[in-house]
């Protein structure tokens, strides 16, 4: 992700209904089970790089900056195809960036991640068209370089979409060695795209393969669940959430950035007291915020620091931990300890890690909070790019547990404050 100068959208009147349902394109998501991971600092836990200052980049720059902090904490990814016939790849669907890239068969022999993952072979595709423009992306926990190419994208039931994508030739960062995904498919706004490439979502809409630029992401946080979740293109599936959706305007259309009114920890601590900016980012596993506020939050819930910015919580205290409530568009979105504590079990040993982490983003981009997978696993998000009359918006509703019926309401939003 790369903060860029933009004019704020006018805050327009928003309706509180789900976008009109049309043909939905479904892409199943897989998840790496926690017991298959170890707490290895090479996985970039808690070591996000700070992005450049807002205004330091302009659209079309050679290098884009996408701070994907804690990518290795929880990996959600799905399958796409590139070329004719389709060559399959596992990609992370990332709302915090806007480029699509996969490793290439032409990658450097010294680039270990290329050889540990599936690679795109241009010679094996009859629909391939060379582009040759060089690109580079600096992620918060890794970097890569390569060339742009053009070919057909297969995603869900959509086939034949022509897209410009990156073939990674050089992935020097160890973080990609451990990734269970091959590449990344960005779902952010066009202005974040490196080299001014048209993002995949825009290409699908422009070519008439997707009626409107709307998608939703359901992440299954149940550690015993077989499925990892689902990306729905073209709308949302109410089977994933408990209605109604609460919509809020995107304030700066680069990231999916909205306004957060405040955060409460139990009844005794208020954070973001004067309101603050927050980004919904599937490329970030935890919830991040300014250092001093995250320290205060952990003092309130009894967390104590480990290496690399992680906080440990006594598992025995989970039943007594206070809720953390986030106020958005006048509605409280509540997180219980079961929501915001990551429980890892292996060999009879259980470890409880806080789902909150400090990340300081300097002005004018920051201070900034990021609602990552800890939040987006609890609340389904509908991302609506809108049009010239409505503007972009995000809808949120409590995720429906897989065993819940359609009629029941769980511990969802706390309602509008009195």
């Amino acid at each position: 992700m790369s903060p860029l100068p933009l004019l704020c959208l006018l805050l327009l009147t928003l309706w509180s209904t789900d976008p009109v349902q049309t043909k939905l394109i479904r892409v199943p998501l897989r998840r790496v089970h926690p017991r298959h991971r170890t707490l290895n600092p090479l996985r970039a836990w808690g070591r996000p790089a700070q992005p450049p200052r807002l205004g330091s980049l302009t659209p079309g720059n050679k290098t884009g900056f996408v701070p994907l902090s804690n990518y290795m904490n929880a990996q959600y990814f799905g399958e796409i195809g590139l070329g004719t016939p389709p060559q399959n790849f596992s990609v992370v669907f990332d709302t915090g960036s806007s480029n699509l890239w996969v490793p290439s068969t032409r990658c450097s022999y010294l680039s270990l991640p290329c050889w540990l993952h599936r690679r795109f072979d241009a010679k094996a595709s009859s629909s391939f068209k060379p582009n040759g423009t060089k690109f580079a992306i600096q992620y918060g926990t890794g970097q890569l370089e390569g060339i742009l190419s053009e070919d057909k994208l297969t995603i869900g039931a959509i086939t034949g979409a022509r897209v410009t994508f990156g073939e990674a030739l050089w992935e020097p960062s160890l973080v990609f060695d451990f990734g269970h995904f091959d590449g990344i498919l960005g779902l952010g706004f066009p202005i974040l795209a490196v080299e001014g490439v048209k993002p995949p979502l825009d290409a699908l809409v422009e070519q008439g393969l997707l009626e409107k630029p709307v998608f939703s992401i359901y992440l299954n946080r149940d550690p015993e669940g077989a499925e990892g979740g689902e990306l729905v293109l073209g709308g949302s599936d109410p089977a994933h959430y408990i209605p109604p959706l609460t919509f809020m305007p995107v304030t700066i259309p680069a990231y999916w950035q909205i306004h957060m009114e405040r955060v409460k920890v139990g009844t005794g601590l208020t954070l973001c007291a004067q309101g603050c900016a927050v980004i919904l980012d599937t490329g970030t596993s935890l919830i991040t915020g300014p250092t001093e506020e995250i320290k205060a939050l952990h003092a309130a819930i009894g967390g104590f620091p480990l290496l690399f910015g992680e906080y440990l919580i006594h598992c025995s205290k989970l039943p007594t931990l206070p809720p953390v409530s986030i106020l958005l568009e006048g509605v409280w979105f509540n997180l219980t300890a079961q929501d915001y504590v990551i429980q890892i079990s292996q060999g009879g040993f259980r470890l409880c890690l806080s789902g909150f982490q400090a990340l300081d983003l300097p002005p004018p981009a920051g201070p900034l909070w990021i609602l990552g997978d800890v939040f987006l696993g609890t609340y389904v998000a509908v991302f609506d790019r809108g049009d010239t009359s409505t503007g972009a918006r995000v809808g949120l509703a409590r995720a429906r547990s897989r065993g819940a019926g359609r009629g029941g309401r769980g511990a969802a939003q706390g309602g509008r404050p009195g």
Side-chain angles (χ1 to χ4, degrees), residues 331-334 379 411-417:
V331 174
W332 288 103
F333 293 83
N334 303 320
Y379 290 93
Q413 296 94 310
R416 296 184 179 272

Side-chain angles (χ1 to χ4, degrees), residues 13 20 43 51 69 133 151 158 193 246 250 338 386 388 394:
T13 303
V20 177
R43 292 174 179 267
S69 56
T133 302
D151 214 326
I158 296 177
T246 298
V250 171
Q338 292 297 321
T388 54
V394 174

Side-chain angles (χ1 to χ4, degrees), residues 123-139:
K123 295 180 180 179
S125 173
S126 62
S127 53
F128 174 80
K129 288 185 179 181
N131 179 302
T133 302
K134 295 181 180 180
F135 80 96
I137 301 178
Q138 173 67 59
Y139 291 95

Side-chain angles (χ1 to χ4, degrees), residues 25-74:
I25 307 300
R26 301 174 183 273
V27 183
L29 302 181
R30 289 180 288 153
R31 178 196 53 219
V32 178
H33 197 281
R35 67 170 172 261
H36 296 156
R37 300 195 303 273
T38 58
L39 298 182
N40 189 325
L42 292 181
R43 292 174 179 267
W45 279 49
R47 302 177 68 180
Q50 290 187 351
R53 292 173 62 87
L54 188 65
S56 64
L57 294 178
T58 56
N61 267 14
K62 181 178 180 180
T63 303
F65 294 80
V66 188
L68 302 181
S69 56
N70 301 299
Y71 228 142
M72 315 313 293
N73 182 359

Side-chain angles (χ1 to χ4, degrees), residues 383-400:
F383 300 86
D384 184 354
R385 289 272 293 276
D387 52 38
T388 54
S389 63
T390 61
R393 61 179 187 162
V394 174
L396 293 171
R398 184 84 185 193
R400 192 187 298 275

